[in-house]
Amino acid sequence: MLRPFHGFALLSLGIAGACATVPPITGDPAVTVTARAETPPVGTAREDAADDPAIWRNPANPAASLIVGTDKKGGLYVYDLKGAQKSFLAAPGLNNVDLIDISGGRVLVIASDRSDLTTVNLFMALLDTATGKLAPAGKIAVGPGEGYGICMVKPAGVDGVIAFSAPKSGTIYKTVITEANGAFIGTTSTLAQVPTQTEGCIADPRSSTLYIGEEDAGIWAIDTVTGAKRMVAAIDNKLLVADVEGLAIAPEGKDGGYLVASSQGDNAYAVFRLPDVTPVGRFRIAQGAFGSVEETDGIELDNRDFGPDFPKGIFIAQDGVNAPSAQNFKYVRWDEVLAALEAGR
C-alpha cells in the first residue's frame, strides 16, 4: 500500500524544504505461520494480477481437491493441493471467484467480470472435477457498477444458488441463479448499500448473514433477507489495518467458527470468533520453505479434512509480492494457524 509523501519548508529561516515519509501503520502484534505449498506464478508478470482463490473439496478423496484462482489480466487457473497447475481458462478481466456444488454432481464456478467497467457481470464456468478443466457456461449481467467482490450460497429451500456481488460503488447485489433450457439465468435485486468501496465477500447460510469488507472502514454484517446491516469490525489500526480485502469463514456447529479478514495495510490476517465476531488475534505468513506473503487481496478457508498435507483444514492467500516472480497463491495448514494463535495468547 502506498503511503502519502509529505514535505515542509522552513521559510522564516530561509532553509530549503525538507521531506519526510510517514511510516507505515502496523497493527497489534501478529503470530507467524509458514506456507506448506504454493502455486506457480500467474502468467501475468510485473503487474497486480493474481487476486482470489476458491476451494473445491473432493468428498471421496479430500487429498484430490482442487483450487481455482484468478489472474485478473488473464483468466482462471485450476491447481491441486500440491500447488501444481491443472488447467487454465483464458478470460481477461475476472477479479474475485467462488464455486459451489450444484445438481448432477456438477461444480459451478462464478467470477466477477470487470471486462465491462460500467456493468457488474458474472462470468460462469463448470469445473470438471475429474480432469481439473473449466468450461465456460455463460454470463449474467447484474446491474450498474464495476464488478469486484463475489460470493455464493445455496440455502435450503431455494431453487438454485444465490450470488452476492460487491462492486466498487458499495451497492450490494443479490442474484438468484437458476437453470432453464440448459442455460443459467439470474434475477437480481439490490440488497444493501455501504458508503464506500467494497470487495471482500463471504456468506454464512446458517445465520443468513453476508459479511462485506468496506476497504477503508471495516466489515459489515448484512442480513441476506432484509438487507439490514451493522458494522461488526471497524478499522482500528490494531486488529484491522486498511485496506480490508479478502474475507473467509470456517464454520463450526450451528453458529460457531471463525471469520478471517485480510488486513492488507500491514500484511496480516485478522481472526474473529463467530457468532459474535469477537476478536481472536492476528497472524502473518512468514518466510519458510516457501516465501512470505504480503499485500494479500483474496483469501479462502475450509476447515475440513483435506488429506495428509492439510488434515484439519486449509487456508489460501494471494501473495501480492512474491518477488522476484509474478504473484501467486500460498497454502497454509489451518490447524497451525489456530495453534499459533492459541500459543500467542
Side-chain angles (χ1 to χ4, degrees):
M1 174 181 290
L2 295 177
R3 297 295 178 186
F5 185 69
H6 300 277
F8 61 89
L10 302 178
L11 298 178
S12 62
L13 299 177
I15 299 174
C19 296
T21 300
V22 174
I25 296 172
T26 301
D28 288 343
V31 300
T32 59
V33 295
T34 58
R36 291 300 189 105
E38 68 176 345
T39 68
V42 296
T44 304
R46 296 182 297 280
E47 288 193 57
D48 179 20
D51 195 90
D52 191 45
I55 302 168
W56 175 74
R57 182 178 181 272
N58 187 328
N61 181 9
S65 299
L66 299 170
I67 311 299
V68 178
T70 58
D71 175 345
K72 54 195 176 189
K73 311 292 185 182
L76 292 173
Y77 287 92
V78 179
Y79 309 102
D80 65 19
L81 290 190
K82 299 293 185 182
Q85 181 180 325
K86 302 281 288 184
S87 68
F88 175 71
L89 176 63
L94 306 185
N95 199 75
N96 279 202
V97 66
D98 201 1
L99 58 80
I100 200 163
D101 290 288
I102 59 173
S103 62
R106 298 170 299 163
V107 177
L108 177 64
V109 176
I110 295 184
S112 57
D113 187 341
R114 298 171 67 193
S115 58
D116 177 353
L117 299 182
T118 65
T119 302
V120 178
N121 285 286
L122 302 178
F123 175 92
M124 293 172 293
L126 291 171
L127 174 63
D128 185 328
T129 58
T131 65
K133 294 183 178 180
L134 289 162
K139 186 184 291 190
I140 293 174
V142 171
E146 179 181 346
Y148 221 40
I150 177 73
C151 56
M152 288 192 289
V153 292
K154 189 178 181 181
V158 173
D159 182 22
V161 301
I162 297 176
F164 299 99
S165 300
K168 284 188 173 183
S169 64
T171 302
I172 310 303
Y173 293 113
K174 175 181 177 180
T175 304
V176 178
I177 299 172
T178 57
E179 286 186 83
N181 301 318
F184 292 101
I185 57 174
T187 302
T188 297
S189 58
T190 298
L191 179 65
Q193 178 77 43
V194 301
T196 61
Q197 181 167 311
T198 60
E199 182 174 7
C201 174
I202 192 70
D204 187 347
R206 301 172 304 168
S207 60
S208 298
T209 300
L210 173 68
Y211 296 99
I212 290 289
E214 185 183 359
E215 292 190 356
D216 291 330
I219 302 171
W220 292 92
I222 301 175
D223 188 300
T224 60
V225 178
T226 68
K229 65 182 188 293
R230 58 191 177 95
M231 177 68 71
V232 292
I235 288 174
D236 56 3
N237 293 331
K238 295 179 180 179
L239 199 68
L240 281 176
V241 178
D243 294 341
V244 175
E245 291 285 341
L247 298 178
I249 192 172
E252 294 179 356
K254 184 178 72 172
D255 60 4
Y258 298 91
L259 174 69
V260 183
S262 170
S263 176
Q264 191 189 69
D266 71 338
N267 303 321
Y269 309 92
V271 182
F272 304 86
R273 185 72 178 170
L274 297 173
D276 297 324
V277 196
T278 305
V280 174
R282 292 154 46 84
F283 70 96
R284 289 191 176 91
I285 303 174
Q287 179 81 33
F290 303 95
S292 59
V293 177
E294 293 82 26
E295 298 183 12
T296 293
D297 286 328
I299 60 175
E300 188 58 288
L301 170 60
D302 194 314
N303 56 347
R304 294 175 291 178
D305 170 31
F306 281 83
D309 290 342
F310 302 95
K312 295 183 179 180
I314 183 171
F315 175 82
I316 302 177
Q318 178 257 10
D319 187 353
V321 178
N322 197 41
S325 301
Q327 299 174 345
N328 73 345
F329 300 93
K330 292 188 167 66
Y331 304 176
V332 175
R333 280 179 53 155
W334 178 240
D335 58 332
E336 293 183 347
V337 171
L338 294 180
L341 290 169
E342 181 63 28
R345 289 182 181 178

